[in-house]
Each structure stands twice: as structure tokens, then as C-alpha cells.
Amino acid sequence: MACSSSIIFVFIFSFLLSTMAATSYDLLLLGEGVEDLESRAKNLYPEILRDEAVARLQQLGQVSDADGYLERTFLSQASVKAGNLIRQWMEDAGLRTWIDCMGNVRGRVDGRNASAEALIIGSHFDTVVDAGIFDGPLGIISAIAAVKVLNVDGKLGMLRRPIEVIAFSDEEGVRFQSTFLGSAAVAGILPASTLQICDKSGLTVQDVLKENSIDITAENLLRLKYDPESVWGYVEVHIEQGPVLEWVGAPLGVVKGIAGQTRLKVTVRGSQGHAGTVPMSMRRDPMAASAEMIVLLESLCKHPENFLSYDGNCNNSMLESLSTSLVCTVGEISTWPSASNVIPGQVTFTVDLRTINDMGREAVIYELSDRIYQICDRRSVSCTIDRKHDANAVICDSELSSQLKSAAFAAVKRMGAEIQSELPVLMSGAGHDAMAISHLTKVGMLFVRCRGGISHSPAEHVLDDDVWASGLALLAFIETQL
């Protein structure tokens, strides 16, 4: 038995020695000598950063308002239950916790200087309909895991600045069709009028908060805003929601910027009638008109160069940017009265439009709106176009991005992964809470590889070891604040 144990020890020793390549982060450890290899292996903390984190992601993924699929919207019963779980995990990691008046779950440690500028780490715990378990929660769970490692090591009180982990109550905007309710409130950019937006059942944001014993007013909504001078920066870990990292074989990537987006609600009104008695030539059918508009949108977004003319506001570089980054989606259509034998009287559909070029986005919206009104005039129907959400493109802070890149590279190398000389740098086509928080402070983001680039789907999947890598990278980044 003793001989066998020695052989196993030699094997483990050799494996660690061959796989833990020195990087900019690891150079800090080289002076410890060979005898500290076992300690360095322990510092990978798989039991917290991988095993426990994955188990918590799975547990959170079972908290749903629907049977058979994951759906968790702003302050629903499942959302409240999920928030309570997250709060327990924050306290387990050594954080002081509370829930603010927008339903955000927050945990904080003051470190050595409670009045210093704070580092905020966050993501969201609401979901889309029929969601995957990683979009949003991965960033929360990885942050809690990294903080827990520091707490276990007795280093949490040694931080030179406060760290706050925030689980934002709403990013997806499913319930109220208004994104970033949680993070926009913290950033101080959420209008008080948002409190009166209604969901499909007629409840307002304010009603839902009061149902959960949260007394929200325009005045205390403003109090949620941080003083920008009290915040050092914001970091978010999120699944890529795209295929690039998997394609290049890297578990992590650094985000250089986030595409701007606009959400529209188009309402088309015509003449309701009997499906069997109104001649085709006499119809004012909003469904047919909407179908033409949707096909127009697809053509415009596939080939913007065929629709936008060259002038002072639309040049060649803008068109090139649009051709590579513009995406447009109609994700929801509703009709009234929605019966198979009735020509509808009204059709409503949504438009989600995104690109990294803000001026180009405005040009596309202008062209789309103009052509929609032309279709309405030609078909003798009326239409209104409401802008429900606007967010400009965000460029991540170069200093934060550099630090995150070094931390991520070090984490991946320490795990023994084969990677190129540096990690990929990516643009995000999806919106994130970092977009709202960028109005408050500098932001940085890390992307985590997801299988097939699939997201907003139950097929969304992240390897256990990639969850581990994200937590280890975040730990390495936080340790720069010791």
C-alpha cells in the first residue's frame, strides 16, 4: 500500500509539474518552490469553483414558474424563491446581504477600507421563456464561488476595496417588455415612469413590488443609484451565446464591446370581418400587411446596402459595419380576435434590432419606419411604431479588459488546458447588464464557451470544467484587489 501511494504521489507530482505552465499570474507563485506544488493544486478549488457551482446552477435551473420548462420572470413566485436561494449562498460565502427596492439580491464585503471605491460583480437571475440554466446565473454563481474561496482562505477581510455581488432581478424584460429593470435602477437610468408599465395581466411594476412587500416610489427609486465616485468598476461573467469560443477551442474570451439595440412594437389596425364573406379586393387585412412588413425587415437587415443611400449620415464604413453586425428579429406576434374564421382587426408584432454601429442603427430604423408607413398607406390600414427600448453600443474598459484577460489566461493555463498564445477578444451581439451599468462606471466582461453557441434554449450547455475556469479566472481577478 505504501509503495502504491508513493507511485500515485509521483504521478500526480509529475502531472502538475508538466501542466502548470508559468504565466504572468503564475510568476507570482514561482518563488514558492517545488514543495508548494500540492498547495498550488489545492488553489484550483474544484470542490467550490466547479462541483458546488455546477450543483447550484442545476438547483437554480429547477426553480421555475412553468411545468416542464424554465421560466422565471421579474418577481414571479419562482423569482422570489430563486432570489432567496442566491441570498443564502451569498451569506454562505461570507457576504452581508439584502434585497433592494427593485428586487435585486445584493451581497457585500467591505474589506480593509469600507469607504474605498467598490468593485461590483453581477449578472441576472431572470430568464426568457423555455430558457437554459446558464444565461445569467452562471455569472452570479461564479462570483459567489470565487468570493467563497477567499472566505475559506481567510482572505476576504484583506481586500483593499469593498466587493459587491449583485444578482439583478430583471435583464431579459420578458414580463414588462422593458429590459434591465434591476441594473438600470442601480445605474440611476431607470425612469420613474417605468413603475407604471403593465404586464399582460394588467399589473404594474409598482403593483408587483408591493405584492412582494417592497414599497417603491419615485423617490426611493432614485436612492438606488450609486454615487459614481463610490464605484471602481463592474465585471460580468456570461456565457458567450455564440459559437466562436467553441470554434477556436478556448473556454474563455474577453469582451471588447456590446452591440447597441432597439426594440420596437408595431401595431397594425385594419377592418375586422368574416373570413368567408369579405371579398379579397375589399379587405383591409392587418395580417397580410404585417407579413409584408416582416419580410421587408428581413430583406433590409440582410442587405442594408440595397436600402440605405450614401449621404452625410450613411457612408461606406457604416454600411460595412452594418453588413457584418446588423441582426433583426420578430419574436412575438399577437392578433385580435385571433380566430380561424375571422379577418383580424389588429395585429401587433415586436422588432428586435441590433448592431455595433449606433448611427447605422438609427438609419435602419428610419428606413424601416418609412417603408412600413408606405405599406400601411398602400393597404389602407393604420399603424403605429413604438420604441420600447434603446441602448447604445458599449465599449468595455481597456484596463479592466486587460486585467480580465490576464486572469483568464492564467486560470486556463493553471488548469492545464491547451490554448493559443492569448485568449480570443470578442464583440457581444447580445445585451447584458453591463450595458446599463456602463452609465455608472467602467465595465469589463468575460465570455464562457457554450456548446454549439446555443442560448435562450433548454439545449444551452456549459462544460463543468468551463464553469470551473470561469470561477478560477474571477478568483484570480479578485485577488489583484488583495
Side-chain angles (χ1 to χ4, degrees), residues 142-305:
S142 294
I144 293 173
V147 171
K148 182 173 180 176
V149 168
L150 290 178
N151 192 40
V152 168
D153 271 356
K155 297 179 180 178
L156 202 53
M158 298 168 59
L159 293 163
R160 68 171 181 265
R161 68 176 72 256
I163 288 186
E164 194 163 313
V165 178
I166 306 182
F168 294 114
S169 57
D170 178 278
E171 185 254 22
E172 301 288 3
V174 172
R175 183 169 186 177
F176 289 97
Q177 295 296 299
S178 181
T179 58
F180 306 137
L181 290 179
S183 50
V186 170
I189 60 170
L190 189 69
S193 58
T194 305
L195 297 176
Q196 303 310 316
I197 296 175
C198 292
D199 65 10
K200 291 180 179 179
S201 69
L203 291 172
T204 66
V205 173
Q206 191 169 33
D207 293 334
V208 171
L209 287 162
K210 285 184 177 180
E211 281 185 353
N212 288 275
S213 302
I214 299 175
D215 185 21
I216 183 73
T217 64
E219 182 179 346
N220 56 22
L221 175 63
L222 290 175
R223 290 184 189 145
L224 271 181
K225 181 184 178 181
Y226 273 85
D227 177 358
E229 294 184 0
S230 71
V231 182
W232 179 74
Y234 172 82
V235 167
E236 183 170 352
V237 173
H238 204 282
I239 60 172
E240 181 194 354
Q241 301 177 284
V244 176
L245 290 176
E246 186 176 57
W247 184 61
V248 301
L252 302 174
V254 181
V255 181
K256 65 179 178 180
I258 307 170
Q261 62 174 283
T262 293
R263 290 186 183 183
L264 306 175
K265 179 181 178 182
V266 182
T267 303
V268 187
R269 297 180 178 88
S271 181
Q272 186 174 322
H274 195 292
T277 61
V278 180
M280 296 300 291
S281 61
M282 299 176 65
R283 296 189 179 195
R284 297 170 51 233
D285 186 348
M287 181 65 82
S290 296
E292 184 177 349
M293 295 171 195
I294 293 169
V295 172
L296 163 69
L297 174 70
E298 181 187 41
S299 298
L300 172 56
C301 293
K302 278 186 174 179
H303 303 287
E305 70 279 2

